[in-house]
């Protein structure tokens, strides 16, 4: 059986949807599971999500990226002013998931193993032979080692981004309220609003197949190629997108003139 590279979008405390997704996708020992960050805040069970992340990491097949909500949580631990910002960005729901017997939780109720996961296990970005994985976005002209935090964790994906390496960018962060992945060809966003009325998405990056689950126990299966939003990029003889910067610039200019 082929070893898979599987990417999961923003989970945001939705442990039930995550459990359904893992059951359906059934990652094997040879698969690489890449989670794109934002495990905490907004949803009801950030504690349960982090418990599962730690378990997956201990099994050895998890690459966990850090999201902006993990950054907010870590900053809130050290700075009272940023703590208030974190609470208003979904931190109240996170603390509630650690509460016991209706007693309000504090940072002291969060296990050290969870802090260790957020601080030391989660990484900023990840790269394979054909793909780049980031939480939010990137500068198309810089290598991963030089990417600014403002791009990696905070900038929305609102238009196509073509990295100079030619690799496809897989990201989250820009929540798709329609529950559908955003496919620009050169970049794919799989934050499909799991904590809201959308879905939690797992993408097999090599085949384009994806699975979606929600908190109600429903699931869907789809093909990412059916969600492509960039028909004006030229195609190679083999049918694969040509992502050279000169082609991209010309296509964008032609598209703009036609508006």
């Amino acid at each position: 059986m082929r070893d898979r590279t599987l990417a999961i979008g923003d989970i945001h405390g939705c442990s039930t949807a995550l459990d359904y997704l893992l059951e359906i996708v059934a990652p094997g020992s040879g698969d690489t599971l890449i989670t794109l960050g934002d495990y905490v805040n907004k949803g009801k069970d950030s504690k349960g999500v982090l418990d599962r992340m730690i378990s997956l990491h201990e099994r050895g097949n998890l690459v966990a990226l850090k999201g902006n909500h993990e950054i907010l949580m870590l900053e809130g631990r050290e700075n009272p002013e940023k703590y208030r910002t974190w609470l208003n960005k979904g931190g109240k729901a996170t603390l509630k998931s650690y509460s016991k017997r209706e007693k309000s939780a504090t940072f002291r109720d969060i296990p050290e193993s969870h802090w260790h996961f957020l601080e030391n296990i989660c990484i900023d970005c990840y790269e394979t032979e054909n793909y780049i994985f980031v939480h939010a976005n990137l500068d198309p002209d810089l290598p991963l080692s030089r990417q600014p935090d403002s791009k990696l964790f905070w900038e929305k994906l609102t238009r196509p981004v073509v990295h100079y390496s030619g690799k496809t960018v897989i990201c989250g962060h820009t929540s798709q309220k329609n529950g559908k992945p955003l496919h620009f060809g050169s970049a794919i966003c799989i934050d499909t609003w799991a904590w809201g009325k959308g879905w939690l998405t797992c993408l097999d990056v090599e085949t384009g197949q994806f699975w979606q689950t929600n908190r109600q126990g429903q699931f869907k299966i789809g093909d990412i190629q059916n969600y492509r939003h960039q028909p004006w990029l030229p195609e190679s003889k083999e049918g694969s997108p040509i992502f050279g910067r000169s082609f991209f610039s010309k296509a964008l200019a032609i598209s703009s003139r036609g508006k």
Side-chain angles (χ1 to χ4, degrees), residues 101-126:
R101 298 178 182 177
E102 304 301 320
K103 180 182 177 181
S104 297
T106 68
F107 274 157
R108 290 189 295 273
D109 295 299
I110 299 176
E112 189 56 38
S113 60
H114 288 199
W115 290 117
H116 175 75
F117 176 81
L118 297 177
E119 291 180 313
N120 302 305
I121 303 302
C122 293
I123 60 177
D124 291 350
C125 49
Y126 184 68

Side-chain angles (χ1 to χ4, degrees), residues 4-255:
R4 300 173 296 177
T5 301
L6 304 167
I8 295 180
D10 303 32
I11 303 168
H12 276 306
C14 297
S15 61
T16 302
L18 177 62
D19 287 344
Y20 290 147
L21 192 64
L22 292 173
E23 182 178 353
I24 292 168
V25 176
S29 59
D31 295 334
T32 300
L33 186 63
I34 303 165
T35 49
L36 301 179
D38 279 6
Y39 313 110
V40 300
N41 296 356
K42 299 185 178 182
K44 294 183 177 180
D45 192 19
S46 293
K47 177 184 180 298
V49 170
L50 290 181
D51 283 338
R52 288 150 183 76
M53 291 293 103
I54 291 169
S55 177
L56 288 168
H57 182 259
E58 289 174 347
R59 284 165 46 184
N61 61 343
L62 177 69
V63 176
L65 303 193
K66 186 184 300 177
N68 61 300
H69 281 269
E70 283 72 58
I71 291 175
L72 289 170
M73 186 171 173
L74 291 169
E75 289 179 342
R77 191 187 191 194
E78 304 296 331
N79 184 308
E81 185 173 331
K82 292 185 176 182
Y83 172 75
R84 289 189 291 272
T85 299
W86 173 71
L87 287 177
N88 292 329
K89 294 291 186 180
K92 292 178 183 178
T94 297
L95 281 183
K96 189 173 182 179
S97 72
Y98 290 92
S99 299
K100 299 177 181 178
R101 298 178 182 177
E102 304 301 320
K103 180 182 177 181
S104 297
T106 68
F107 274 157
R108 290 189 295 273
D109 295 299
I110 299 176
E112 189 56 38
S113 60
H114 288 199
W115 290 117
H116 175 75
F117 176 81
L118 297 177
E119 291 180 313
N120 302 305
I121 303 302
C122 293
I123 60 177
D124 291 350
C125 49
Y126 184 68
E127 187 172 13
T128 65
E129 183 178 357
N130 297 310
Y131 299 92
I132 292 174
F133 301 86
V134 296
H135 173 64
N137 209 329
L138 48 61
D139 187 314
D141 299 315
L142 295 177
L144 286 192
S145 60
R146 295 178 57 200
Q147 292 290 330
D149 288 355
S150 60
K151 294 280 188 179
L152 288 178
F153 304 115
W154 299 98
E155 184 174 283
K156 298 291 186 179
L157 182 71
T158 57
R159 57 187 175 84
V161 56
V162 185
H163 194 257
Y164 76 88
S165 67
K167 297 182 180 183
T168 302
V169 178
I170 311 293
C171 67
H173 184 63
T174 306
S175 58
Q176 304 301 304
K177 299 300 194 295
N178 59 10
K180 300 176 182 179
L182 179 64
H183 184 11
F184 281 137
S186 57
I188 299 171
C189 175
I190 56 171
D191 177 359
T192 44
W193 206 32
W195 73 273
K197 297 180 180 180
W199 302 80
L200 181 62
T201 298
C202 176
L203 172 68
D204 183 330
V205 301
E206 299 292 348
T207 67
Q209 182 179 13
F210 67 84
W211 302 261
Q212 294 184 309
T213 56
N214 61 19
R215 291 170 292 167
Q216 289 72 46
Q218 300 170 311
F219 77 93
K220 298 191 294 185
I221 299 176
D223 186 335
I224 197 65
Q225 296 304 326
N226 295 330
Y227 294 82
R228 183 128 177 205
H229 284 254
Q230 205 175 34
W232 41 265
L233 272 183
E235 300 287 327
S236 70
K237 293 181 180 179
E238 293 76 24
S240 300
I242 299 175
F243 295 132
R245 298 188 63 78
S246 61
F247 279 108
F248 178 79
S249 299
K250 292 177 182 177
L252 184 58
I254 294 170
S255 177

